[in-house]
Amino acid sequence: DVSLSVQAGQTVAVVGPSGGGKSTLLKLLLGFYPLEENRLFLFEQDLNDWSLRSAREHMALVAQDTYLFPVSIAENIACGKPGASQAEIERAARMANIHEYIVSLPEGYRTLVGERGVRLSGGQRQRISLARAILKDAPVLLLDEPTSALDTESEALVQEALQRFMAGRTTIVIAHRLSTIRDAQRVLVLEGGHIVEEGSPDELMSRAGRYKELYLRQFDETDLAVEEAQ
C-alpha cells in the first residue's frame, strides 16, 4: 500500500521508526525482491522488463554499513567505474572530501584498507564509499542512512560532500538523523509499511503529526545524551 512518484532531479527523504519499511523500499528498487503483483517503474519502464544489471547501472547506493574490499583505496573507489583513470578516481575523492586524507598516507591511493576497511575509521570508509558512487555518476542516488553511525565531525564532512553531489540529481534518502534531510523537497513518513504523512519538511513541522513527533523526540534524546555525557 505504498504509492509514490519521484521526478527527475528531486530529493525525496523517507523517515520513520525502525521496521517501518524504509530500507525495504530501496531493496525493491535495487531488485533484491521480486515484484509479482505490484509495479515499480524506472524511467517509466516496468522494472520487471529491465535486466537487473542494466537497472543497477542507473543507480548508485551509499549504505550505512559500507563494504570495502581488502585491496587498495584506489581500487575500492574504482569499483564504481571499472577502468577509471587515476585522475577520475582523484576527482571523485576530492568531491567526497577524502582526497587530502588519502594523499597524507605514506602509500597514498595504493594504501591497502584491510578486510572490510578495518584500517580506516567509519567516516573515512563512508567517504570512500561516497567517492565510489560519485565516480559511477549514476542518474539515481540511493542513500540508506549514510551518516547515522558517524561522529559529528565525520558527519559534517560527509554531509558537505553529499550536498555537493546531490545537486540536480534524483535522490532517495533514508534518514535516521532528521538533520540530514533539510534539503529534501519532499518527505515521506513510512510506518508499518504505509505512508502516513507526506510533504515538505516545513509543511510537516507545521502540523502536529508523526513527523513533528519524531523530530522533537530525536532532539529530546540528543539533549539527554549530552546531559549524560556532561
Side-chain angles (χ1 to χ4, degrees), residues 5-193:
S5 61
V6 180
Q7 302 302 315
Q10 192 175 50
T11 296
V12 174
V14 185
V15 305
S18 298
K22 302 186 299 295
S23 295
T24 301
L25 188 62
L26 293 194
K27 290 175 181 176
L28 285 166
L29 274 170
L30 290 163
F32 287 118
Y33 304 135
L35 283 168
E36 297 174 355
E37 297 179 3
N38 302 292
R39 287 290 174 265
L40 194 156
F41 295 87
L42 179 64
F43 300 107
E44 300 184 350
Q45 296 181 38
D46 193 321
L47 192 61
N48 287 327
D49 296 335
W50 287 76
S51 73
L52 201 53
R53 174 186 287 271
S54 180
R56 289 177 177 172
E57 284 176 354
H58 289 76
M59 296 180 272
L61 171 69
V62 180
Q64 177 183 353
D65 185 17
T66 300
Y67 187 88
L68 297 184
F69 298 97
V71 292
S72 71
I73 291 175
E75 288 172 298
N76 269 289
I77 295 174
C79 287
K81 183 181 178 182
S85 67
Q86 183 64 25
E88 289 176 306
I89 291 170
E90 291 184 15
R91 175 182 172 276
R94 284 190 177 92
M95 287 187 67
N97 283 339
I98 192 65
H99 173 75
E100 296 301 326
Y101 168 74
I102 295 171
V103 295
S104 73
L105 298 170
E107 295 186 73
Y109 280 84
R110 293 176 295 178
T111 302
L112 299 177
V113 302
E115 191 68 40
R116 297 183 66 89
V118 69
R119 296 181 182 175
L120 303 173
S121 71
Q124 290 157 358
R125 290 195 299 271
Q126 197 64 288
R127 280 177 281 158
I128 288 173
S129 176
L130 179 55
R132 182 189 290 170
I134 290 170
L135 183 61
K136 185 175 183 180
D137 197 26
V140 178
L141 178 62
L142 307 176
L143 305 174
D144 191 358
E145 301 186 344
T147 64
S148 65
L150 303 182
D151 58 56
T152 304
E153 182 179 356
S154 296
E155 180 185 14
L157 288 168
V158 172
Q159 279 292 354
E160 180 187 349
L162 279 172
Q163 287 170 0
R164 190 183 306 134
F165 183 52
M166 287 164 58
R169 193 176 304 272
T170 307
T171 306
I172 299 177
V173 53
I174 305 298
H176 177 71
R177 294 180 180 177
L178 300 186
S179 59
T180 65
I181 64 172
R182 56 182 176 267
D183 295 323
Q185 287 90 34
R186 288 168 60 208
V187 178
L188 308 175
V189 181
L190 198 61
E191 190 166 10

Side-chain angles (χ1 to χ4, degrees), residues 15-17 178 189 210-219:
V15 305
L178 300 186
V189 181
R210 192 71 174 105
Y211 176 84
K212 187 172 184 177
E213 181 185 334
L214 290 167
Y215 187 91
L216 295 176
R217 180 190 299 172
Q218 184 173 101
F219 280 92

